[in-house]
Amino acid sequence: MTDKPINRAHGRRPGLWLTIVGGLVAVGFAIYALLAAPDSTSGPLWIVAGWGALLFIYGVYRLVRGPSSLDDPRGGTDANGR
């Protein structure tokens, strides 16, 4: 077999990057939305800030819960191997 070896260090903190990127997107777009139109509370900028907040929340969930039994070490999912 010529498969690449499994990188075990990759899956130690499955939600770290989701938390970092989601937090930056949420805070960044919220600040930009407030500076662009401080009297408006609706608009596409707030939708992106909401997506960033959801990404942040999911990242925190993955950090707390840890690796899933469906996570394949080589990437993707291993739902058929259960």
Side-chain angles (χ1 to χ4, degrees):
M1 294 211 130
T2 60
D3 289 336
K4 295 189 309 187
I6 298 171
N7 186 4
R8 297 275 181 209
H10 178 68
R12 287 192 182 165
R13 294 191 179 266
L16 181 64
W17 287 108
L18 290 172
T19 305
I20 292 170
V21 171
L24 289 175
V25 167
V27 170
F29 274 93
I31 290 172
Y32 185 65
L34 287 173
L35 294 176
D39 56 343
S40 174
T41 58
S42 63
L45 294 175
W46 288 108
I47 293 172
V48 178
W51 286 345
L54 290 174
L55 190 66
F56 176 80
I57 291 169
Y58 182 64
V60 169
Y61 167 75
R62 288 299 306 256
L63 275 172
V64 170
R65 187 172 183 282
S68 171
S69 63
L70 294 178
D71 289 338
D72 189 82
R74 291 186 176 93
T77 61
D78 187 25
N80 295 331
R82 283 181 99 185

